[in-house]
PDB file of all heavy atoms in Angstrom:
ATOM      1  N   MET A 161      97.195  94.255  81.593  1.00 98.00           N
ATOM      2  CA  MET A 161      97.154  95.594  82.186  1.00 98.00           C
ATOM      3  C   MET A 161      96.466  95.554  83.558  1.00 98.00           C
ATOM      4  O   MET A 161      96.914  96.200  84.509  1.00 98.00           O
ATOM      5  CB  MET A 161      96.422  96.562  81.238  1.00 98.00           C
ATOM      6  CG  MET A 161      96.399  97.993  81.721  1.00 98.00           C
ATOM      7  SD  MET A 161      98.044  98.596  82.168  1.00 98.00           S
ATOM      8  CE  MET A 161      98.541  99.380  80.672  1.00 98.00           C
ATOM      9  N   PHE A 168     100.130  97.412  92.000  1.00 98.00           N
ATOM     10  CA  PHE A 168     100.514  98.712  92.554  1.00 98.00           C
ATOM     11  C   PHE A 168      99.443  99.229  93.511  1.00 98.00           C
ATOM     12  O   PHE A 168      98.263  98.895  93.382  1.00 98.00           O
ATOM     13  CB  PHE A 168     100.721  99.730  91.418  1.00 98.00           C
ATOM     14  CG  PHE A 168     101.970  99.458  90.615  1.00 98.00           C
ATOM     15  CD1 PHE A 168     101.939  98.608  89.520  1.00 98.00           C
ATOM     16  CD2 PHE A 168     103.183 100.029  90.985  1.00 98.00           C
ATOM     17  CE1 PHE A 168     103.091  98.339  88.789  1.00 98.00           C
ATOM     18  CE2 PHE A 168     104.342  99.762  90.269  1.00 98.00           C
ATOM     19  CZ  PHE A 168     104.302  98.921  89.168  1.00 98.00           C
ATOM     20  N   VAL A 171      96.359 103.117  92.698  1.00 98.00           N
ATOM     21  CA  VAL A 171      96.387 103.329  91.243  1.00 98.00           C
ATOM     22  C   VAL A 171      95.269 104.287  90.821  1.00 98.00           C
ATOM     23  O   VAL A 171      95.504 105.213  90.033  1.00 98.00           O
ATOM     24  CB  VAL A 171      96.220 101.976  90.506  1.00 98.00           C
ATOM     25  CG1 VAL A 171      96.202 102.178  89.000  1.00 98.00           C
ATOM     26  CG2 VAL A 171      97.337 101.024  90.894  1.00 98.00           C
ATOM     27  N   TYR A 205     111.892  94.515 112.190  1.00 97.00           N
ATOM     28  CA  TYR A 205     112.942  93.614 112.694  1.00 97.00           C
ATOM     29  C   TYR A 205     113.931  94.365 113.576  1.00 97.00           C
ATOM     30  O   TYR A 205     114.565  95.329 113.113  1.00 97.00           O
ATOM     31  CB  TYR A 205     113.709  92.963 111.527  1.00 97.00           C
ATOM     32  CG  TYR A 205     112.852  92.123 110.587  1.00 97.00           C
ATOM     33  CD1 TYR A 205     113.133  92.052 109.228  1.00 97.00           C
ATOM     34  CD2 TYR A 205     111.762  91.397 111.075  1.00 97.00           C
ATOM     35  CE1 TYR A 205     112.357  91.297 108.365  1.00 97.00           C
ATOM     36  CE2 TYR A 205     110.979  90.639 110.208  1.00 97.00           C
ATOM     37  CZ  TYR A 205     111.276  90.593 108.862  1.00 97.00           C
ATOM     38  OH  TYR A 205     110.496  89.848 108.010  1.00 97.00           O
ATOM     39  N   THR A 257     133.955 111.710  94.750  1.00 98.00           N
ATOM     40  CA  THR A 257     135.030 110.713  94.747  1.00 98.00           C
ATOM     41  C   THR A 257     135.855 110.821  93.465  1.00 98.00           C
ATOM     42  O   THR A 257     137.095 110.812  93.506  1.00 98.00           O
ATOM     43  CB  THR A 257     134.444 109.295  94.890  1.00 98.00           C
ATOM     44  OG1 THR A 257     133.634 109.263  96.064  1.00 98.00           O
ATOM     45  CG2 THR A 257     135.530 108.244  95.001  1.00 98.00           C
ATOM     46  N   GLY A 270     129.876 119.068  81.953  1.00 98.00           N
ATOM     47  CA  GLY A 270     128.495 118.571  82.062  1.00 98.00           C
ATOM     48  C   GLY A 270     127.646 119.270  81.013  1.00 98.00           C
ATOM     49  O   GLY A 270     128.183 119.818  80.059  1.00 98.00           O
ATOM     50  N   SER A 278     123.249 116.642  89.776  1.00 98.00           N
ATOM     51  CA  SER A 278     124.607 116.439  89.246  1.00 98.00           C
ATOM     52  C   SER A 278     125.280 117.777  88.952  1.00 98.00           C
ATOM     53  O   SER A 278     126.479 117.952  89.211  1.00 98.00           O
ATOM     54  CB  SER A 278     124.579 115.564  87.989  1.00 98.00           C
ATOM     55  OG  SER A 278     123.763 116.144  86.998  1.00 98.00           O
ATOM     56  N   ALA A 301     114.947 123.418  71.257  1.00 97.00           N
ATOM     57  CA  ALA A 301     113.891 122.976  70.339  1.00 97.00           C
ATOM     58  C   ALA A 301     113.584 121.492  70.504  1.00 97.00           C
ATOM     59  O   ALA A 301     112.427 121.078  70.435  1.00 97.00           O
ATOM     60  CB  ALA A 301     114.299 123.277  68.901  1.00 97.00           C
ATOM     61  N   THR A 302     114.619 120.689  70.756  1.00 97.00           N
ATOM     62  CA  THR A 302     114.394 119.243  70.880  1.00 97.00           C
ATOM     63  C   THR A 302     114.423 118.775  72.328  1.00 97.00           C
ATOM     64  O   THR A 302     114.128 117.613  72.613  1.00 97.00           O
ATOM     65  CB  THR A 302     115.479 118.464  70.096  1.00 97.00           C
ATOM     66  OG1 THR A 302     116.762 118.857  70.608  1.00 97.00           O
ATOM     67  CG2 THR A 302     115.416 118.748  68.609  1.00 97.00           C
ATOM     68  N   THR A 304     116.905 118.145  74.267  1.00 98.00           N
ATOM     69  CA  THR A 304     117.934 117.167  74.611  1.00 98.00           C
ATOM     70  C   THR A 304     119.318 117.708  74.238  1.00 98.00           C
ATOM     71  O   THR A 304     119.455 118.873  73.835  1.00 98.00           O
ATOM     72  CB  THR A 304     117.627 115.803  73.940  1.00 98.00           C
ATOM     73  OG1 THR A 304     118.543 114.825  74.422  1.00 98.00           O
ATOM     74  CG2 THR A 304     117.694 115.862  72.421  1.00 98.00           C
ATOM     75  N   ARG A 311     130.966 117.037  71.721  1.00 97.00           N
ATOM     76  CA  ARG A 311     132.237 116.911  70.992  1.00 97.00           C
ATOM     77  C   ARG A 311     132.979 118.246  70.901  1.00 97.00           C
ATOM     78  O   ARG A 311     134.205 118.293  70.984  1.00 97.00           O
ATOM     79  CB  ARG A 311     131.959 116.362  69.584  1.00 97.00           C
ATOM     80  CG  ARG A 311     132.987 115.319  69.192  1.00 97.00           C
ATOM     81  CD  ARG A 311     132.645 114.572  67.924  1.00 97.00           C
ATOM     82  NE  ARG A 311     132.344 113.180  68.206  1.00 97.00           N
ATOM     83  CZ  ARG A 311     131.251 112.548  67.849  1.00 97.00           C
ATOM     84  NH1 ARG A 311     130.307 113.190  67.169  1.00 97.00           N
ATOM     85  NH2 ARG A 311     131.078 111.288  68.152  1.00 97.00           N
ATOM     86  N   GLY A 331     111.495 115.506  79.288  1.00 98.00           N
ATOM     87  CA  GLY A 331     111.187 114.080  79.099  1.00 98.00           C
ATOM     88  C   GLY A 331     112.028 113.421  78.025  1.00 98.00           C
ATOM     89  O   GLY A 331     111.876 112.224  77.760  1.00 98.00           O
ATOM     90  N   GLU A 345     137.025 108.579  73.418  1.00 97.00           N
ATOM     91  CA  GLU A 345     137.953 108.725  72.278  1.00 97.00           C
ATOM     92  C   GLU A 345     138.999 109.795  72.556  1.00 97.00           C
ATOM     93  O   GLU A 345     140.169 109.645  72.220  1.00 97.00           O
ATOM     94  CB  GLU A 345     137.168 109.208  71.044  1.00 97.00           C
ATOM     95  CG  GLU A 345     136.772 108.119  70.093  1.00 97.00           C
ATOM     96  CD  GLU A 345     135.892 108.681  68.981  1.00 97.00           C
ATOM     97  OE1 GLU A 345     136.188 109.770  68.456  1.00 97.00           O
ATOM     98  OE2 GLU A 345     134.878 108.019  68.698  1.00 97.00           O
ATOM     99  N   HIS A 359     115.359 108.199  83.866  1.00 98.00           N
ATOM    100  CA  HIS A 359     115.247 107.120  82.864  1.00 98.00           C
ATOM    101  C   HIS A 359     114.782 105.790  83.457  1.00 98.00           C
ATOM    102  O   HIS A 359     114.066 105.020  82.799  1.00 98.00           O
ATOM    103  CB  HIS A 359     116.612 106.911  82.185  1.00 98.00           C
ATOM    104  CG  HIS A 359     116.694 105.631  81.413  1.00 98.00           C
ATOM    105  ND1 HIS A 359     116.046 105.458  80.199  1.00 98.00           N
ATOM    106  CD2 HIS A 359     117.288 104.432  81.703  1.00 98.00           C
ATOM    107  CE1 HIS A 359     116.252 104.214  79.778  1.00 98.00           C
ATOM    108  NE2 HIS A 359     116.997 103.576  80.662  1.00 98.00           N
ATOM    109  N   SER A 378     117.001 106.664  91.635  1.00 98.00           N
ATOM    110  CA  SER A 378     116.212 106.936  92.843  1.00 98.00           C
ATOM    111  C   SER A 378     115.082 105.921  92.911  1.00 98.00           C
ATOM    112  O   SER A 378     114.154 105.976  92.087  1.00 98.00           O
ATOM    113  CB  SER A 378     115.624 108.347  92.795  1.00 98.00           C
ATOM    114  OG  SER A 378     116.630 109.300  92.919  1.00 98.00           O
ATOM    115  N   SER A 384     109.674 101.692  93.916  1.00 98.00           N
ATOM    116  CA  SER A 384     110.003 101.320  95.288  1.00 98.00           C
ATOM    117  C   SER A 384     109.525 102.442  96.212  1.00 98.00           C
ATOM    118  O   SER A 384     108.365 102.846  96.111  1.00 98.00           O
ATOM    119  CB  SER A 384     111.500 101.038  95.414  1.00 98.00           C
ATOM    120  OG  SER A 384     111.809 100.670  96.735  1.00 98.00           O
ATOM    121  N   TRP A 392     125.792 102.690  91.162  1.00 98.00           N
ATOM    122  CA  TRP A 392     126.760 101.723  90.650  1.00 98.00           C
ATOM    123  C   TRP A 392     128.054 102.488  90.380  1.00 98.00           C
ATOM    124  O   TRP A 392     128.014 103.613  89.866  1.00 98.00           O
ATOM    125  CB  TRP A 392     126.270 101.055  89.355  1.00 98.00           C
ATOM    126  CG  TRP A 392     127.369 100.282  88.675  1.00 98.00           C
ATOM    127  CD1 TRP A 392     127.808  99.034  89.003  1.00 98.00           C
ATOM    128  CD2 TRP A 392     128.198 100.716  87.585  1.00 98.00           C
ATOM    129  NE1 TRP A 392     128.855  98.671  88.189  1.00 98.00           N
ATOM    130  CE2 TRP A 392     129.115  99.684  87.305  1.00 98.00           C
ATOM    131  CE3 TRP A 392     128.256 101.890  86.828  1.00 98.00           C
ATOM    132  CZ2 TRP A 392     130.077  99.783  86.299  1.00 98.00           C
ATOM    133  CZ3 TRP A 392     129.209 102.002  85.828  1.00 98.00           C
ATOM    134  CH2 TRP A 392     130.104 100.937  85.565  1.00 98.00           C
ATOM    135  N   TRP A 413     131.441 101.158  99.620  1.00 96.00           N
ATOM    136  CA  TRP A 413     130.920 102.514  99.428  1.00 96.00           C
ATOM    137  C   TRP A 413     129.973 102.894 100.575  1.00 96.00           C
ATOM    138  O   TRP A 413     129.733 104.057 100.830  1.00 96.00           O
ATOM    139  CB  TRP A 413     130.147 102.604  98.105  1.00 96.00           C
ATOM    140  CG  TRP A 413     131.017 102.722  96.895  1.00 96.00           C
ATOM    141  CD1 TRP A 413     131.570 101.711  96.174  1.00 96.00           C
ATOM    142  CD2 TRP A 413     131.455 103.939  96.251  1.00 96.00           C
ATOM    143  NE1 TRP A 413     132.306 102.204  95.126  1.00 96.00           N
ATOM    144  CE2 TRP A 413     132.238 103.575  95.141  1.00 96.00           C
ATOM    145  CE3 TRP A 413     131.234 105.299  96.495  1.00 96.00           C
ATOM    146  CZ2 TRP A 413     132.820 104.519  94.278  1.00 96.00           C
ATOM    147  CZ3 TRP A 413     131.800 106.228  95.638  1.00 96.00           C
ATOM    148  CH2 TRP A 413     132.585 105.836  94.553  1.00 96.00           C
ATOM    149  N   THR A 441     108.977  87.327  76.793  1.00 98.00           N
ATOM    150  CA  THR A 441     110.034  86.442  76.299  1.00 98.00           C
ATOM    151  C   THR A 441     109.914  85.101  77.018  1.00 98.00           C
ATOM    152  O   THR A 441     109.493  85.066  78.186  1.00 98.00           O
ATOM    153  CB  THR A 441     111.446  87.029  76.529  1.00 98.00           C
ATOM    154  OG1 THR A 441     112.415  86.047  76.162  1.00 98.00           O
ATOM    155  CG2 THR A 441     111.704  87.401  77.984  1.00 98.00           C
ATOM    156  N   ARG A 447     118.130  88.436  83.238  1.00 98.00           N
ATOM    157  CA  ARG A 447     118.478  89.709  82.606  1.00 98.00           C
ATOM    158  C   ARG A 447     117.690  89.890  81.303  1.00 98.00           C
ATOM    159  O   ARG A 447     117.220  90.992  81.011  1.00 98.00           O
ATOM    160  CB  ARG A 447     119.989  89.780  82.356  1.00 98.00           C
ATOM    161  CG  ARG A 447     120.461  91.015  81.620  1.00 98.00           C
ATOM    162  CD  ARG A 447     120.287  92.310  82.416  1.00 98.00           C
ATOM    163  NE  ARG A 447     120.286  93.477  81.539  1.00 98.00           N
ATOM    164  CZ  ARG A 447     120.081  94.725  81.912  1.00 98.00           C
ATOM    165  NH1 ARG A 447     119.847  95.009  83.184  1.00 98.00           N
ATOM    166  NH2 ARG A 447     120.098  95.710  81.061  1.00 98.00           N
ATOM    167  N   LEU A 481      95.610 121.439  70.127  1.00 97.00           N
ATOM    168  CA  LEU A 481      94.743 122.282  70.965  1.00 97.00           C
ATOM    169  C   LEU A 481      95.221 123.733  70.904  1.00 97.00           C
ATOM    170  O   LEU A 481      96.421 123.989  71.015  1.00 97.00           O
ATOM    171  CB  LEU A 481      94.752 121.774  72.414  1.00 97.00           C
ATOM    172  CG  LEU A 481      94.069 120.437  72.653  1.00 97.00           C
ATOM    173  CD1 LEU A 481      94.180 120.046  74.128  1.00 97.00           C
ATOM    174  CD2 LEU A 481      92.594 120.493  72.233  1.00 97.00           C
ATOM    175  N   GLY A 489     109.603 120.532  72.146  1.00 96.00           N
ATOM    176  CA  GLY A 489     109.085 119.949  70.904  1.00 96.00           C
ATOM    177  C   GLY A 489     108.061 118.846  71.123  1.00 96.00           C
ATOM    178  O   GLY A 489     107.685 118.539  72.250  1.00 96.00           O
ATOM    179  N   ARG A 521      95.890 114.326  88.320  1.00 98.00           N
ATOM    180  CA  ARG A 521      96.997 114.915  89.083  1.00 98.00           C
ATOM    181  C   ARG A 521      98.224 115.126  88.208  1.00 98.00           C
ATOM    182  O   ARG A 521      98.764 114.177  87.638  1.00 98.00           O
ATOM    183  CB  ARG A 521      97.363 114.038  90.279  1.00 98.00           C
ATOM    184  CG  ARG A 521      98.474 114.693  91.109  1.00 98.00           C
ATOM    185  CD  ARG A 521      98.589 114.120  92.477  1.00 98.00           C
ATOM    186  NE  ARG A 521      97.354 114.292  93.229  1.00 98.00           N
ATOM    187  CZ  ARG A 521      97.119 113.687  94.395  1.00 98.00           C
ATOM    188  NH1 ARG A 521      98.026 112.895  94.920  1.00 98.00           N
ATOM    189  NH2 ARG A 521      95.977 113.871  95.029  1.00 98.00           N
TER     190      ARG A 521
END
Side-chain angles (χ1 to χ4, degrees):
M161 184 51 95
F168 289 88
V171 178
Y205 300 146
T257 305
S278 58
T302 57
T304 187
R311 222 170 248 126
E345 262 175 42
H359 166 74
S378 291
S384 180
W392 168 80
W413 281 87
T441 173
R447 176 67 201 176
L481 291 179
R521 183 163 300 169

